[in-house]
Amino acid sequence: MNNIKSIMIPIDFSDYSRSALKYAVDFARTFKAKMHLVYVLEPSVYPADFSMGQISLPAVEVETTRKAMDELENLAKTEITSDIKYDTKIRTGSAFVEIIEHARETDTDLIIISTHGHTGVEHLLFGSTAEKIVRKAPCPVLTLRKPAKGFKYKS
């Protein structure tokens, strides 16, 4: 356990992922690990008409990426204390694929991710990003469900 040097926290700006970030800060402090905050922007493709097929809107995606990076940086500055090293990254693609790839690229030792607790038809149709990450990640994954035992959520 003493070789945790790099912790990744996927962020989607939900209360769940914010709670996971707060939890991860304590881990990072304990292990003196660097934190990697990752937000995945899933590309938007819009149908134009039947003759042209689908098109993407690059200007919208550029603006969305800029806003996401600003929000991610603000979240990091608010939640992560100055004694912890961190970086932020915006990736584009399928969330679980990009998170796993980023874990490989950064040689991540631990991923801390929140679960949203989807059940029933929604889970059957879409699956869970956290579940896919647990199955495919190149490192251990700690999943948190709110409220997490032993963790006092601070607003």
Side-chain angles (χ1 to χ4, degrees):
M1 283 284 282
N2 61 356
N3 60 353
I4 297 175
K5 303 285 185 226
S6 175
I7 301 171
M8 180 191 304
I9 306 88
I11 300 291
D12 65 4
F13 302 113
S14 67
D15 287 342
Y16 297 99
S17 69
R18 290 172 191 266
S19 292
L21 174 59
K22 291 172 189 278
Y23 198 89
V25 167
D26 288 337
F27 265 75
R29 184 174 297 110
T30 299
F31 292 102
K32 297 178 176 53
K34 181 175 182 178
M35 297 177 70
H36 302 278
L37 280 65
V38 179
Y39 174 76
V40 179
L41 177 64
E42 299 209 23
S44 301
V45 178
Y46 303 94
D49 62 35
F50 292 113
S51 65
M52 292 181 61
Q54 294 180 331
I55 61 167
S56 65
L57 300 175
V60 172
E61 288 182 14
V62 168
E63 181 64 16
T64 303
T65 299
R66 186 190 62 72
K67 285 183 178 180
M69 182 53 88
D70 290 346
E71 185 68 22
L72 196 57
E73 284 292 333
N74 288 335
L75 181 63
K77 287 176 185 170
T78 302
E79 300 299 334
I80 300 173
T81 55
S82 62
D83 60 324
I84 298 172
K85 293 181 183 174
Y86 71 89
D87 62 29
T88 56
K89 182 73 174 178
I90 305 290
R91 294 185 65 116
T92 302
S94 169
F96 88 93
V97 170
E98 294 301 320
I99 290 165
I100 290 167
E101 186 61 28
H102 194 71
R104 284 191 182 106
E105 290 171 5
T106 58
D107 196 25
T108 295
D109 297 312
L110 176 67
I111 297 172
I112 299 179
I113 189 170
S114 64
T115 63
H116 289 76
H118 294 305
T119 58
V121 174
E122 183 179 32
H123 182 77
L124 286 173
L125 290 174
F126 302 111
S128 161
T129 298
E131 182 180 340
K132 291 173 188 171
I133 291 168
V134 167
R135 281 197 240 141
K136 306 273 185 181
C139 61
V141 180
L142 174 61
T143 59
L144 300 173
R145 190 175 170 100
K146 190 177 174 185
K149 182 178 179 180
F151 174 68
K152 302 218 183 313
Y153 179 74
K154 300 173 206 154
S155 298

